[in-house]
Amino acid sequence: MKSGIMMRDPTAETTSVLRPRANPLDTLKGKTVALMDIGKMRGDEFIDRMEQLCHDRGVATRRYKKPTNTRVAPREMIADIAANCQAVVIALSDCGSCTSCSTHDLNDLDKLGLAGVSVLTEEFRQAFEQQKSAIGLDAAAIYVPHPMQNKTTGELHAFAEQSVDQILSAICSATAPNPARRAA
């Protein structure tokens, strides 16, 4: 018989069931949508265009910017969003660490009752799926082409134009896609 020490892995197991996300809003009228820039290079250009497109649709927005994309949002920012907004769009994740941190931000805001969606590049679809599974949240996501840093401002704006209706539909059940704004 061998003698020795038995050790157990102290890391958490992933959940087998995803909790449903906060329900999308019934309407955007009279509501404010937080546009959270995660701090990635060029992400602000995508958010700038999203803000304009929301304004054109009569959707009130409030801008937020994380100090870094490699950490979760500061607690004060999460509290401010929850106090002043009813939904959140978190953009634009295009790497592993920012995808993980953004998914945690989405989870924190979801727990506070905000309808939310994360905007990520297609390359990180699997990473988002794994992260939301580990967290246990059936989170919403919209995917845009990868990579983003080498795109022109016009291309970044076009990605926002092509995805705005999907993004708004993810946070509001009454938002019908505008055929003129659908991606070709």
Side-chain angles (χ1 to χ4, degrees):
M1 179 163 100
K2 290 184 176 181
S3 64
I5 299 173
M6 180 188 284
M7 300 184 82
R8 295 190 183 261
D9 183 356
T11 57
E13 295 181 23
T14 59
T15 182
S16 60
V17 177
L18 299 179
R19 73 174 168 81
R21 69 187 186 106
N23 289 329
L25 301 172
D26 293 331
T27 181
L28 290 171
K29 185 175 182 175
K31 309 292 186 191
T32 301
V33 176
L35 298 176
M36 182 194 286
D37 177 348
I38 69 163
K40 287 291 288 196
M41 181 174 59
R42 316 278 321 277
D44 57 337
E45 295 172 65
F46 180 89
I47 294 279
D48 289 344
R49 186 64 182 138
M50 279 297 304
E51 184 175 39
Q52 183 61 50
L53 293 165
C54 286
H55 176 76
D56 293 349
R57 288 164 170 74
V59 177
T61 61
R62 190 166 173 162
R63 293 280 293 260
Y64 294 87
K65 184 169 183 169
K66 289 174 52 170
T68 177
N69 60 5
T70 60
R71 297 190 189 274
V72 295
R75 294 286 123 214
E76 302 80 22
M77 180 185 291
I78 295 293
D80 189 81
I81 292 170
N84 294 295
C85 303
Q86 293 73 45
V88 62
V89 175
I90 299 176
L92 182 68
S93 298
D94 70 346
C95 74
S97 61
C98 65
T99 296
S100 177
C101 293
S102 295
T103 307
H104 281 276
D105 294 335
L106 191 62
N107 185 52
D108 289 346
L109 289 161
D110 183 87
K111 286 180 179 178
L112 296 172
L114 275 76
V117 62
S118 191
V119 182
L120 311 100
T121 62
E122 185 64 45
E123 186 75 16
F124 289 89
R125 180 184 295 262
Q126 183 178 359
F128 179 75
E129 292 298 323
Q130 290 174 334
Q131 187 65 48
K132 75 177 197 176
S133 178
I135 290 171
L137 173 64
D138 191 15
I142 303 299
Y143 298 95
V144 296
H146 181 84
M148 298 305 281
Q149 281 77 26
N150 66 347
K151 304 298 183 201
T152 67
T153 299
E155 288 172 317
L156 292 168
H157 286 187
F159 294 147
E161 292 161 7
Q162 293 165 5
S163 58
V164 65
D165 291 323
Q166 288 178 294
I167 290 168
L168 294 178
S169 291
I171 59 173
C172 180
S173 58
T175 305
N178 177 346
R181 299 280 187 193
R182 299 284 285 167

